[in-house]
Amino acid sequence: MNHFPEGWGRPRDDVYGAYDGSHLKTVQPGAGFNQHTQSPIVTGTSVIAVKYKDGVVIAADTLASYGSLARFRDVERLKVVGEKTVVGAGGDMSDMQYIFDDVLERLMIKESYSPESHSPLLAPHVYTYLSRLLYARRSRLNPLWNALLVAGHDEHDKPFLASVDLLGTTFDGPALATGFGAHLALPLLRKLVPNEEASQNVTKEQATEAVKAAMKVLFYRDARSIDEYSIAWVTPQGVEQSREKLENQSWKFAERIRGYGTQTN
């Protein structure tokens, strides 16, 4: 027997000839086959969200990067689903378009015209559906390369905020962020809402200011971000949306950073 690790269990080549594995090939050379991408090309960065007393505020910038190139500068990464739900997506933009324009659109159409549907499509329903979808795709080794935040209200009109990633990992909290925002923005948001009880004492204005401050920090620190972003407020009355631009930008603080420009000491 051949005792080299790469050939364990195979007969000796010098006695029986080289091993012929052609019968294991299911696709003939040149026949072509479908291959799903496992390496995102055009990507979006952070999505951040925080609960407040009556709802949830969620924001994401409008940049889609082609590698390190700021290629597409007007990409909407927030999707309104139903009447009281917003889904924000980071990661691969083609997978995001599939989720937004195919999966969620079909879900809304089905819920709107299904005779068995007696309740409106709420954030927990959308979140459960997406979590099952992403876990199923991950189990087939063909994941949707996204991190999603689902913001809205539950059946008791309480604010709802939860996250699911490409592995199907799910969790909720009073403040959540994806991408680089999980490292930089989330600690800032947790100062405002360290737990669920604290979010009940936060006003819409306070939550909005915290999100805008976090978006400014991300623009300064994240090379894949841009100074224009979409922001949405999910209230008991519905969803309010706006397109914002960072205000009062200043890079003066960079002069004190070691290694910035010609400063080395």
Side-chain angles (χ1 to χ4, degrees):
M1 298 294 291
N2 184 350
H3 296 287
F4 290 103
E6 64 273 11
W8 281 347
R10 294 181 179 179
R12 288 174 53 180
D13 291 348
D14 59 339
V15 176
Y16 298 99
Y19 182 77
D20 182 13
S22 61
H23 64 283
L24 298 176
K25 297 180 180 179
T26 57
V27 178
Q28 297 299 322
F33 55 91
N34 295 325
Q35 182 176 357
H36 298 284
T37 177
Q38 298 294 303
S39 56
I41 302 299
V42 180
T43 59
T45 183
S46 309
V47 183
I48 64 175
V50 60
K51 290 182 183 178
Y52 59 92
K53 181 172 59 176
D54 298 320
V56 185
V57 55
I58 182 171
D61 67 40
T62 60
L63 178 66
S65 301
Y66 182 80
S68 60
L69 175 66
R71 178 63 181 86
F72 305 102
R73 304 170 68 90
D74 190 24
V75 177
E76 182 61 63
R77 297 195 289 123
L78 300 182
K79 170 78 171 180
V80 179
V81 182
E83 297 179 356
K84 296 183 180 181
T85 304
V86 175
V87 179
D92 186 70
M93 291 294 95
S94 60
D95 285 345
M96 182 199 75
Q97 290 175 331
Y98 167 69
I99 294 174
F100 282 6
D101 300 334
D102 189 352
V103 173
L104 292 178
E105 285 293 333
R106 285 189 286 108
L107 178 64
M108 286 189 288
I109 292 173
K110 180 179 179 180
E111 289 297 316
S112 297
Y113 293 97
S114 174
E116 292 83 11
S117 179
H118 302 290
S119 61
L121 189 63
L122 300 177
H125 307 151
V126 176
Y127 174 64
T128 301
Y129 186 87
L130 290 176
S131 65
R132 300 297 188 273
L133 171 67
L134 267 66
Y135 183 78
R137 289 288 297 263
R138 168 252 191 175
S139 298
R140 294 199 294 268
L141 302 182
N142 182 25
L144 292 169
W145 215 279
N146 296 108
L148 306 176
L149 294 187
V150 181
H153 288 80
D154 60 17
E155 59 274 12
H156 304 295
D157 270 341
K158 293 183 178 180
F160 177 89
L161 177 61
S163 170
V164 57
D165 64 11
L166 76 165
L167 298 178
T169 305
T170 59
F171 54 90
D172 58 17
L176 294 176
T178 72
F180 214 50
H183 304 283
L184 290 181
L186 197 53
L188 301 176
L189 299 177
R190 283 176 175 168
K191 289 183 178 180
L192 179 67
V193 284
N195 50 51
E196 293 287 349
E197 291 74 17
S199 67
Q200 299 301 314
N201 301 318
V202 175
T203 65
K204 178 181 178 181
E205 291 73 20
Q206 290 174 322
T208 301
E209 288 302 317
V211 167
K212 288 184 177 180
M215 294 301 294
K216 181 177 290 189
V217 171
L218 289 174
F219 172 67
Y220 285 144
R221 295 294 187 177
D222 189 353
R224 303 295 179 266
S225 65
I226 197 174
D227 61 349
E228 189 171 351
Y229 59 93
S230 299
I231 186 169
W233 299 266
V234 188
T235 68
Q237 292 73 36
V239 177
E240 304 172 13
Q241 285 184 289
S242 176
R243 183 68 66 88
E244 304 280 346
K245 195 172 182 66
L246 294 181
E247 300 176 351
N248 302 321
Q249 297 181 40
S250 174
W251 290 94
K252 291 183 179 180
F253 69 89
E255 297 176 356
R256 301 190 299 271
I257 298 177
R258 183 177 180 181
Y260 176 77
T262 59
Q263 180 181 342
T264 58
N265 296 320

